[in-house]
Amino acid sequence: MLTFINSLPPHDGDAARNALDMIMMAVSLDQPVQVIFQHDGVFQLINQQTHAIESKNPLVKYRILSDVFELEHLYVSATALAERQLEATQLAVDATPVSDSELYALLQNSSKVVRC
């Protein structure tokens, strides 16, 4: 299992966009992939007003990953959500909240981990 950990906010340089491109490439090549959002990376899952900053909305691509490529392994750190006073119901993409111990277990089942 290839694991991508997104920990940066959506508009902090190119890291979030580059991670999404790598995820799309891996999924399109039928690689087993799971994506974890933690720290400020949870903000990538919140609806954004992208026209104000002249960028494309990455949520559209995450929805494509779920709908078209059937990526079912999207996880979000429950701790990160709580620390940012967010609820899972506020997420624009269906991601499963996981505890720190569940996150650790997910990482143990990974053959490769890419931190973004």
Side-chain angles (χ1 to χ4, degrees):
M1 176 77 64
L2 179 58
T3 300
F4 290 89
I5 300 176
N6 291 316
S7 59
L8 296 174
H11 307 295
D12 186 22
D14 293 333
R17 187 177 63 239
N18 290 340
L20 182 53
D21 289 344
M22 286 188 288
I23 293 165
M24 291 192 78
M25 183 181 301
V27 170
S28 69
L29 294 172
D30 291 328
Q31 296 297 309
V33 172
Q34 64 185 3
V35 183
I36 299 169
F37 296 88
Q38 65 181 61
H39 306 297
D40 285 342
V42 299
F43 291 119
Q44 293 182 37
L45 301 176
I46 305 293
N47 274 324
Q48 306 157 25
Q49 299 297 325
T50 56
H51 64 276
I53 55 174
E54 297 182 14
S55 69
K56 295 179 183 177
N57 190 339
L59 293 173
V60 172
K61 288 185 179 180
Y62 279 115
R63 288 185 192 117
I64 290 171
L65 284 170
S66 295
D67 297 343
V68 176
F69 293 101
E70 299 176 0
L71 175 64
E72 299 173 0
H73 304 290
L74 288 173
Y75 302 100
V76 60
S77 165
T79 301
L81 288 175
E83 288 173 347
R84 286 149 186 85
Q85 300 177 354
L86 296 170
E87 299 284 333
T89 56
Q90 294 175 276
L91 303 179
V93 174
D94 189 23
T96 304
V98 292
S99 67
D100 291 342
S101 61
E102 291 170 314
L103 185 88
Y104 180 76
L106 290 171
L107 292 174
Q108 293 303 310
N109 292 326
S110 300
S111 57
K112 300 284 184 197
V113 176
V114 179
R115 293 188 177 271
C116 313

